[in-house]
Amino acid sequence: MDTSEQWAEVDRYFIDSLVDEDQALAAARESSAETLFPGIDVAPNMGAFLGLLVQLTAAERILEIGTLAGYSAIWMARAAGPQAQIITCELEQANARVAQANFDRTGVAEQVEIRLGPAAETLQQLIAEQAAPFDLVFIDADKRSNPAYLQAALQLSRPGTVILIDNTVRNGQVVDADSADPDIIGTRQLVADIAAEKRLTATAFQTVGLKGWDGFTLVRVN
Ligand code: DHB
Ligand code: MG
């Protein structure tokens, strides 16, 4: 068994032991195969982590950037309960269609609203509408736009808002200061922006598992 197989086996052990993924949720995860980006949704243990984060922060207004098949939004919606509102931004109509069917099937359609279009534009609309601040923001879309997403998220935040950014390690590429990959450049700019913003407290973790070597960055607005 090579190392990545061991990472996957450990993930499967914890998921089988601890993560309660019902049939509808499993179907939503599997339906990412019908999106334009199969298999890049969060792993079940990350979904459960998102649900716990929602409950730990008592989040009721949740903003997600990057819907895909809706798997992560369903975890957050179920954890947040029926009074919660989730706005999830998706660029691709084909993905949004798959996600909407999953929201209908899993009984969270009342709580979750998909905003179709470039997320940077949707976020500017929310700012212009003077949308009430969000309690939790999950950024998990095109990584090159992460600096813009962070700036917009800050304008849609209040003291205490938690911002979680997925995929900030990318096989360790984040440490490559000379990378020409726009996604790595975007991630490194995100990290620099977080560091430079006095209002923010942050940390970041590497993870290994079913999805290989990656990680996330966790931020609190003070
Ligand atoms: C990719 C994007 C993700 O959000 C993820 O969790 C894994 C991979 C990608 O664009 O390759
Ligand atoms: Mg991701």
Side-chain angles (χ1 to χ4, degrees), residues 139-194:
I139 302 177
D140 188 20
D142 58 312
K143 315 308 172 192
R144 65 197 65 193
S145 300
N146 276 343
Y149 296 153
L150 176 72
Q151 291 311 317
L154 292 179
Q155 293 188 66
L156 294 163
S157 293
R158 56 163 173 79
T161 293
V162 171
I163 304 172
L164 180 68
I165 307 107
D166 194 24
N167 310 116
T168 51
V169 175
R170 307 281 278 184
N171 279 310
Q173 293 174 80
V174 69
V175 297
D176 182 1
D178 300 324
S179 176
D181 180 339
D183 292 333
I184 302 306
I185 293 168
T187 298
R188 289 180 60 85
Q189 187 63 50
L190 168 83
V191 172
D193 291 348
I194 293 168

Side-chain angles (χ1 to χ4, degrees), residues 61-136:
R61 279 186 57 76
I62 299 166
L63 175 63
E64 180 178 64
I65 304 171
T67 311
L68 196 65
Y71 182 69
S72 46
I74 296 164
W75 271 106
M76 293 191 287
R78 285 184 166 181
Q83 73 295 339
Q85 191 197 8
I86 301 187
I87 293 178
T88 182
C89 304
E90 175 56 49
L91 176 62
E92 302 288 352
Q93 177 123 49
N95 298 347
R97 215 175 285 125
V98 174
Q100 188 61 57
N102 288 325
F103 297 149
D104 295 340
R105 230 186 336 256
T106 52
V108 300
E110 295 277 293
Q111 295 135 272
V112 186
E113 178 192 346
I114 304 174
R115 295 267 184 121
L116 188 64
E121 290 176 18
T122 301
L123 297 172
Q124 291 309 315
Q125 278 164 15
L126 288 167
I127 293 165
E129 288 166 18
Q130 299 189 300
F134 291 90
D135 306 315
L136 178 68

